[in-house]
Amino acid sequence: MSSSLTSLYLVNPNPKAKRKKETRPFIFNLLHHQSKKITLIMQPCSREMQAMNSLLNPTQQIPLQDLQINGNSHHHQQIHVPSSSQFQYPTPTSTTHHDDSFLEQILSSTTSFPWSDETGPPNPEDNNNAGFNYDEMVLASKLRQHQINGGAAGNPFSAMKMMLMMQQQQQQQQMMLAGRPTVASSAAGGGITTNHQGGEGSMQALYNVFGDGSLHGTMQAKSFVGANSATEMTQSQGSRPTAGEAVTAPEKPKQRVRARRGQATDPHSIAERLRRVRIAERMKALQELVPNANKTDKASMLDEIIDYVKFLQLQVKVLSMSRLGGAAAVAPLVSEGGGDCIQTSANGGSHPRNSNGDQTPSANDRLTMTEHQVAKLMEEDMGSAMQYLQGKGLCLMPISLATAISTATSRSRNPMINHENPTNGSHLLIQSSGGDGPSSPSMSVLTVQSATMGNGGLEGGAASVSKP
Amino acid sequence: MMNTPQQVKNPSSSLKSRFITRFLGALTKITAEDPISSSSPTRIFQRYRRIKVASNKSMAYSVRSRRIWSRAMLSRFRSRRSAFSGRRSSVKTTNCTTSPPPALIKVTINEKKTAKGGLDMQTDELRELVPGGEAMDVCNLLDETAHYIKCLTTQVQVMRKIVDFYHLSK
């Protein structure tokens, strides 16, 4: 049956169907699980981004549950300008194993406290948790960005820098909120917990902190970090110089050299990077949906997508045509298995055929004429060719699809067809074999044969409908 | 009509099932109002359009307002309906169902083609295809496209099955 064709275009279940309510537990997983923390972030990165964006917008106070794409789309630019000063992307992620061990140590030592505190209280207020999760979002986003941006072999140095960043932010937060220069990691947990009740004010404060200046902020943090050497830095940073050189070559074409430590990155480049990443994600998702999606080039992928959408829309059109039941002429046509299957049932201009026999030869002639006409038109302009075909109620179709349809329908047609040969004009297949069209190689849809098949079928069915 | 093969994933709430129920309802209404045997060509054409609209509308309603494209489509239907009734309705163009005049589009497309890569041209084309696409940025546009494609494939699947079913039953 033609269901074999539909299997071609089966829809994959959308893995990202639900965007809400998953960010926070995800972040907790990220920070609680000791292994492969960075790789965990890879997946729902878009959610984090949205969460971050929503949180970074001080005026809006969007609760975490309300991460809609639409709402956040235009917040990106303004969001990143103030906060991007804080962002630094030292180096690529650490994906090697010993990096993970470093990470684990650091994460366990520094972050176990604050995050574990977070799991206790059941989110009294969205703002509080938003303020707290802002940190998480930022960290997670940074980690993720490292992973995405970095490609070269990760080194522990980069991991250390990331940890450093996290701690800096933690400490800054504590500075602002708690008002005490907390240094030890344990104090970090306490400081953050006490500031849960900060609410909007704390959010604003946080926002200001991060917006005020990366330089002195990070400098201060660095000094704090230096003081912190007891637990964290000995393992990681102590010996390493803080020479945050830009390490890897930029991956994205527009990216400049990564910022050195203590230097603000251009907010525009960050926003740009973010945008590109999201677009790449979406393209990947689309690639799964669209068949024949082995193109690596963005432009050709977009072409495929456009063609596929056109194809689907045209299919809907044709299928709705096929349900008309056509004129009464169609039924006798089909039941006799008439050679002429091209029925311009939709167009009011064409005349329905009422008798088969004498019309069959002329039908064939008409078909070849149509074919020639269309071929001529196609050389000039695909658009007009398509329009011509549509005016006749016909469509184009790639050969493979056409043969599949014809075999399917001829099989199902057998009880009705007495003897007719399918070879003559019964398939009007005008294939534009690859690369003809200006934009796309594959024009598509259904032959009217299948449409008229549906016609005959539906008439019987429709008759049963109208008579109760 | 009652034995239509329905392949639903979840019995009650999947997009497919919602669409199927709506569309079959609309289809029965259309076939009831418009008996096939007595149709002139123009009536046939009208009927085709009605079915097509019914199919798209059913899908849009099944998606509700969760998506930009469905909202745009629904507002387009409503405005069209009110336009038909003769009133000059204030068409809501927040979702921008009407694209700029074709001449303007052509000009911008050519410019962009020469200026940047071909991506702008293609995104514009995509905007025209996906309802409500003009008012979206590229990121959302791709997202909406993905969902739109999913819904279209569902639509086509269902319609095909209906066609096959009726064909078989004959």
Side-chain angles (χ1 to χ4, degrees):
Chain A
M1 296 289 293
S2 57
S3 55
S4 62
L5 289 170
T6 58
S7 64
L8 273 181
Y9 303 126
L10 260 178
V11 175
N12 295 334
N14 193 350
K16 290 188 188 177
K18 292 278 185 280
R19 288 179 185 273
K20 326 177 191 175
K21 292 199 183 214
E22 290 184 34
T23 321
R24 202 179 308 129
F26 170 72
I27 299 295
F28 290 144
N29 289 339
L30 158 71
L31 293 163
H32 279 296
H33 297 326
Q34 297 297 324
S35 64
K36 304 291 182 197
K37 283 189 175 60
I38 295 186
T39 53
L40 270 183
I41 310 172
M42 258 314 261
Q43 228 185 2
C45 39
S46 58
R47 286 179 231 149
E48 299 158 29
M49 284 302 122
Q50 290 170 9
M52 185 175 66
N53 294 334
S54 66
L55 291 169
L56 284 176
N57 190 343
T59 61
Q60 198 146 350
Q61 304 295 343
I62 302 175
L64 268 180
Q65 283 76 9
D66 188 32
L67 294 179
Q68 298 291 338
I69 306 170
N70 310 332
N72 293 334
S73 60
H74 39 272
H75 295 317
H76 294 171
Q77 280 79 25
Q78 46 158 305
I79 285 172
H80 280 285
V81 169
S83 63
S84 62
S85 54
Q86 180 63 19
F87 290 173
Q88 300 173 14
Y89 304 106
T91 45
T93 73
S94 59
T95 48
T96 58
H97 292 295
H98 60 277
D99 296 335
D100 278 342
S101 64
F102 270 126
L103 263 181
E104 288 173 29
Q105 288 166 0
I106 292 167
L107 280 176
S108 59
S109 59
T110 61
T111 66
S112 55
F113 266 100
W115 312 135
S116 57
D117 284 330
E118 172 61 11
T119 52
N123 307 340
E125 207 179 319
D126 273 343
N127 294 330
N128 295 337
N129 295 313
F132 187 71
N133 286 330
Y134 167 73
D135 240 8
E136 301 172 354
M137 301 306 163
V138 162
L139 303 177
S141 69
K142 273 196 201 164
L143 289 175
R144 172 191 158 252
Q145 296 225 346
H146 294 156
Q147 193 177 12
I148 288 181
N149 295 332
N155 40 4
F157 189 41
S158 65
M160 296 318 105
K161 278 192 240 178
M162 279 178 349
M163 293 308 111
L164 213 51
M165 306 288 303
M166 288 165 63
Q167 291 149 26
Q168 289 168 15
Q169 292 187 1
Q170 279 180 39
Q171 285 136 18
Q172 284 193 353
Q173 185 186 21
Q174 297 148 27
M175 274 164 48
M176 277 308 297
L177 305 177
R180 34 180 165 151
T182 57
V183 172
S185 59
S186 53
I192 291 180
T193 41
T194 59
N195 295 315
H196 265 276
Q197 322 309 323
E200 296 185 14
S202 68
M203 260 269 289
Q204 300 271 358
L206 247 180
Y207 191 76
N208 292 337
V209 166
F210 291 127
D212 273 353
S214 58
L215 286 182
H216 64 265
T218 49
M219 286 314 154
Q220 291 177 9
K222 259 200 265 187
S223 63
F224 277 121
V225 165
N228 258 352
S229 58
T231 52
E232 304 94 19
M233 292 307 103
T234 48
Q235 303 154 359
S236 59
Q237 253 278 324
S239 53
R240 312 218 184 240
T242 62
E245 298 294 338
V247 175
T248 58
E251 280 200 333
K252 312 258 163 54
K254 206 175 162 193
Q255 203 172 26
R256 303 176 203 113
V257 169
R258 297 250 183 142
R260 302 150 193 271
R261 294 210 64 211
Q263 195 172 359
T265 46
D266 187 10
H268 296 300
S269 69
I270 291 180
E272 188 62 34
R273 212 176 296 154
L274 199 59
R275 191 173 144 265
R276 273 178 210 284
V277 157
R278 299 185 74 177
I279 289 181
E281 288 170 29
R282 306 282 161 77
M283 292 285 293
K284 245 181 261 171
L286 273 173
Q287 242 178 351
E288 297 170 17
L289 280 180
V290 176
N292 193 18
N294 47 5
K295 315 279 191 302
T296 49
D297 183 20
K298 221 192 212 181
S300 55
M301 194 57 223
L302 271 178
D303 279 332
E304 275 294 323
I305 292 171
I306 289 176
D307 288 337
Y308 189 54
V309 171
K310 281 192 201 158
F311 167 71
L312 288 175
Q313 286 176 339
L314 208 45
Q315 259 191 330
V316 168
K317 244 195 234 180
V318 172
L319 279 172
S320 59
M321 246 193 271
S322 74
R323 280 208 197 79
L324 288 187
V330 179
L333 254 184
V334 177
S335 62
E336 272 198 308
D340 166 38
C341 292
I342 307 306
Q343 175 80 359
T344 57
S345 54
N347 203 342
S350 60
H351 51 278
R353 300 168 218 277
N354 287 324
S355 60
N356 284 341
D358 52 349
Q359 296 237 354
T360 322
S362 59
N364 285 345
D365 292 345
R366 207 168 299 132
L367 283 177
T368 41
M369 223 173 54
T370 315
E371 277 183 355
H372 291 324
Q373 189 73 353
V374 172
K376 220 187 337 169
L377 272 177
M378 262 168 42
E379 289 164 15
E380 308 166 6
D381 175 21
M382 274 317 282
S384 62
M386 286 297 289
Q387 282 177 5
Y388 177 76
L389 277 179
Q390 276 190 4
K392 290 197 157 288
L394 305 172
C395 329
L396 293 188
M397 157 170 259
I399 296 184
S400 53
L401 196 51
T403 47
I405 287 186
S406 66
T407 49
T409 49
S410 61
R411 238 185 295 131
S412 55
R413 218 182 151 199
N414 275 334
M416 299 173 52
I417 292 183
N418 303 333
H419 34 267
E420 280 310 305
N421 49 342
T423 57
N424 57 359
S426 59
H427 307 343
L428 175 65
L429 297 179
I430 306 179
Q431 287 88 9
S432 67
S433 56
D436 294 347
S439 63
S440 67
S442 58
M443 309 287 284
S444 50
V445 171
L446 305 175
T447 58
V448 186
Q449 178 190 9
S450 65
T452 56
M453 291 303 303
N455 276 341
L458 183 61
E459 207 192 13
S464 65
V465 166
S466 52
K467 301 172 201 163
Chain B
M1 195 62 195
M2 298 308 155
N3 308 335
T4 318
Q6 298 187 8
Q7 291 180 10
V8 294
K9 307 169 201 167
N10 299 332
S12 57
S13 62
S14 80
L15 173 73
K16 210 173 189 178
S17 57
R18 290 199 300 270
F19 169 67
I20 288 175
T21 37
R22 267 184 225 273
F23 182 52
L24 287 178
L27 206 52
T28 49
K29 224 192 322 179
I30 291 178
T31 53
E33 293 172 5
D34 218 348
I36 303 167
S37 51
S38 62
S39 306
S40 66
T42 44
R43 291 284 281 185
I44 293 174
F45 189 58
Q46 278 179 2
R47 192 158 172 272
Y48 144 66
R49 296 195 72 175
R50 285 181 72 183
I51 292 184
K52 180 176 76 158
V53 164
S55 169
N56 288 330
K57 219 176 190 179
S58 317
M59 181 50 85
Y61 271 111
S62 304
V63 179
R64 292 282 163 186
S65 297
R66 274 186 275 127
R67 287 278 161 175
I68 302 184
W69 68 265
S70 69
R71 288 200 288 266
M73 215 166 181
L74 291 174
S75 71
R76 198 189 287 174
F77 286 134
R78 294 200 187 105
S79 67
R80 206 188 288 169
R81 203 188 306 153
S82 57
F84 277 158
S85 67
R87 286 179 280 121
R88 254 329 196 144
S89 69
S90 62
V91 177
K92 277 193 245 183
T93 49
T94 50
N95 282 333
C96 204
T97 57
T98 62
S99 47
L104 207 55
I105 290 184
K106 283 251 164 50
V107 167
T108 51
I109 285 178
N110 288 336
E111 283 177 0
K112 284 184 178 158
K113 203 178 7 177
T114 52
K116 235 184 181 179
L119 283 188
D120 281 344
M121 178 175 67
Q122 284 154 322
T123 50
D124 286 341
E125 202 170 345
L126 202 53
R127 275 180 221 271
E128 293 176 32
L129 283 177
V130 175
E134 290 87 359
M136 293 190 254
D137 58 342
V138 182
C139 195
N140 283 345
L141 182 66
L142 292 179
D143 214 24
E144 294 289 318
T145 305
H147 191 262
Y148 186 55
I149 285 180
K150 188 173 95 153
C151 291
L152 277 178
T153 49
T154 313
Q155 218 173 333
V156 165
Q157 262 181 357
V158 169
M159 286 170 85
R160 237 185 220 154
K161 289 214 164 66
I162 294 180
V163 168
D164 291 340
F165 172 74
Y166 281 123
H167 165 68
L168 276 183
S169 74
K170 182 175 189 319

